[in-house]
Amino acid sequence: ESDNNNYRVKIETEEINNDDLLIQPTSLYTPSTQFKITSKIKAFDNYVLNMTQLKDGRIAAYSTKNNIKIYYKDDKHISLRGHSKRIICILPLKDGRLASSSEDVSIKAWDVIKAKCIFTLKGHSQKCHCLMQLKDGRLVSGSDDNTIKIWNLATGKAEITLTEHQSSVRSVLELQNFNLASYSSDNKLIFWKVESAKKITKLECKEYDNVLSIIQLDNGNILLGAVESIKILDINDFTCIYSRACTHPRNICQLIDGRIAYLDKSTKSIPKNENIPDLNGQIEQLVKVYHDKVNTRNYIIKKYDRITIIDLDNKTEAAITLENNDNLISSFVQMSNGSIVTGGFKSINIWN
């Protein structure tokens, strides 16, 4: 990355055409489980923790530092700098801007063409783990201070603060009926009734252990990804209508074709005299090494290096094959043209 001012001005003012994008628009998508790598980007000096596709087709990503990078062709990128501590989450906004939260306890909105911070939202007393934009344009944030705030982006003010949670808010979601759902680290899943733009009331509270993510499926039902299972709740009465055992599913999403995908672990047994992965820093979230209780001369290594797909209609599952992939996967997302983009150590890979 270059910090040369002339270089950055050139990138910021350069017109971006479709031919310059890493993800090419297409109207044709064929469901598949076989993917070949088409592009590899040299990204950060650590693991890529999350990525998203911007409205104009570029890829925004962040690592363990306090900046966000936006890639549009090969390794060309611009950097968004302004947070003083590590980035926690990013969210593309409906008008093309990007929102981000950080351990510096601020929320920022960015002009992703000029690479400038437009404004900073302050009001939480602790860092925000989740951001979500309502259909009416307002921004929702969930924080370690146990509150949910709903922000008017035109004024920069929090219009509503919800205080029903008694622990850190980890997920927020707007439902298709315009109501809300939120989950906190004390295992409480709260459904909220949006009475008006100024009034939101608690509708129902359920308890589910160790939920990592919440998404709403195309049919309206709610999918919970937990430490040891995936569950689907009926949107009408919030009862569980599907459950499947799995271990620490990450980055759960619904693919364009309707199937469910998540980052999954493979398990391998190796002799103790072989080299095992370095377990320093961020990699501890991605690799675990155990003593093999059956064969005491071996280690058991569990690592995130594959993507599993569940077809709910046919009740089948399969692993996406990423050809010649021998790296850990720290994050993944499907783009609008069906491509799979994975983040790993120092790189972003695009698969078609």
Side-chain angles (χ1 to χ4, degrees):
E1 177 187 351
S2 172
D3 284 328
N4 179 276
N5 289 332
N6 293 330
Y7 172 78
R8 295 193 66 187
V9 170
K10 180 181 178 182
I11 295 298
E12 290 168 9
T13 58
E14 183 178 11
E15 182 178 355
I16 299 173
N17 300 313
N18 280 344
D19 290 341
D20 293 323
L21 298 179
L22 289 161
I23 306 300
Q24 294 297 319
T26 179
S27 59
L28 179 64
Y29 170 67
T30 303
S32 176
T33 56
Q34 303 287 328
F35 288 82
K36 293 183 179 181
I37 192 166
T38 58
S39 183
K40 186 171 184 177
I41 305 167
K42 294 179 181 178
F44 300 87
D45 59 2
N46 208 312
Y47 282 91
V48 179
L49 297 184
N50 212 343
M51 302 166 293
T52 189
Q53 184 178 17
L54 300 180
K55 191 174 182 178
D56 61 16
R58 292 177 294 165
I59 298 172
Y62 64 91
S63 181
T64 58
K65 300 295 178 65
N66 59 358
N67 66 316
I68 302 163
K69 293 184 180 181
I70 298 176
Y71 294 89
Y72 63 97
K73 188 175 184 181
D74 300 324
D75 295 337
K76 292 182 179 179
H77 67 275
I78 59 175
S79 290
L80 307 181
R81 301 178 186 277
H83 284 296
S84 60
K85 293 185 179 180
R86 186 177 71 88
I87 306 297
I88 297 175
C89 67
I90 55 177
L91 173 74
L93 301 177
K94 302 178 192 300
D95 61 5
R97 296 180 294 180
L98 183 73
S100 61
S101 69
S102 163
E103 288 185 347
D104 64 14
V105 197
S106 71
I107 301 168
K108 293 183 180 293
W110 305 86
D111 181 320
V112 295
I113 300 299
K114 297 180 179 179
K116 293 181 179 179
C117 177
I118 305 168
F119 56 79
T120 299
L121 303 178
K122 292 185 177 181
H124 285 291
S125 61
Q126 297 185 53
K127 62 181 180 288
C128 294
H129 286 280
C130 49
L131 298 172
M132 180 266 298
Q133 190 173 25
L134 299 175
K135 293 181 179 68
D136 65 14
R138 291 181 296 172
L139 185 70
V140 183
S141 58
S143 168
D144 272 352
D145 64 14
N146 307 345
T147 69
I148 298 169
K149 290 185 180 291
I150 299 179
W151 305 83
N152 185 322
L153 294 181
T155 65
K157 304 295 184 182
E159 295 184 335
I160 300 175
T161 299
L162 304 176
T163 59
E164 293 286 343
H165 282 292
Q166 303 301 310
S167 188
S168 173
V169 180
R170 295 300 174 129
S171 298
V172 288
L173 176 69
E174 183 178 29
L175 306 178
Q176 292 174 3
N177 60 7
F178 300 100
N179 288 335
L180 304 178
S182 59
Y183 183 81
S184 56
S185 57
D186 59 358
N187 300 332
K188 297 295 192 301
L189 174 63
I190 296 181
F191 293 93
W192 306 87
K193 175 69 175 177
V194 179
E195 307 282 359
S196 68
K198 299 292 185 180
K199 185 179 180 182
I200 298 177
T201 57
K202 181 177 172 182
L203 185 64
E204 187 159 353
C205 180
K206 297 281 188 177
E207 187 162 335
Y208 293 96
D209 292 341
N210 302 315
V211 172
L212 304 173
S213 58
I214 308 173
I215 63 171
Q216 185 166 34
L217 302 177
D218 293 340
N219 63 8
N221 292 331
I222 307 298
L223 185 146
L224 307 179
V227 169
E228 295 182 349
S229 67
I230 291 174
K231 298 181 185 296
I232 296 178
L233 309 183
D234 188 292
I235 187 57
N236 297 308
D237 58 10
F238 311 124
T239 57
C240 182
I241 57 176
Y242 174 89
S243 183
R244 178 188 178 279
C246 58
T247 304
H248 283 83
R250 295 164 60 98
N251 291 98
I252 293 180
C253 67
Q254 186 167 27
L255 300 179
I256 295 172
D257 56 39
R259 295 177 298 172
I260 307 302
Y262 63 92
L263 192 55
D264 200 2
K265 291 179 179 178
S266 67
T267 301
K268 183 180 180 181
S269 179
I270 66 169
K272 289 186 176 180
N273 59 3
E274 287 190 16
N275 292 328
I276 63 171
D278 180 10
L279 296 183
N280 290 328
Q282 194 63 225
I283 202 172
E284 292 181 1
Q285 298 180 16
L286 306 175
V287 180
K288 296 292 184 183
V289 179
Y290 307 89
H291 292 287
D292 191 333
K293 294 180 180 179
V294 176
N295 186 344
T296 57
R297 295 182 178 181
N298 285 6
Y299 286 119
I300 297 291
I301 296 182
K302 294 184 178 182
K303 61 181 181 177
Y304 284 104
D305 61 358
R306 66 179 185 175
I307 300 168
T308 294
I309 291 179
I310 301 174
D311 187 329
L312 295 174
D313 293 332
N314 299 320
K315 294 182 172 56
T316 59
E317 72 171 66
I320 287 181
T321 300
L322 302 175
E323 188 173 291
N324 297 323
N325 179 61
D326 56 359
N327 297 319
L328 296 174
I329 302 174
S330 51
S331 55
F332 90 96
V333 65
Q334 186 178 42
M335 297 298 171
S336 57
N337 69 343
S339 298
I340 295 292
V341 179
T342 60
F345 187 62
K346 297 185 178 182
S347 68
I348 296 172
N349 295 332
I350 301 173
W351 311 79
N352 286 307

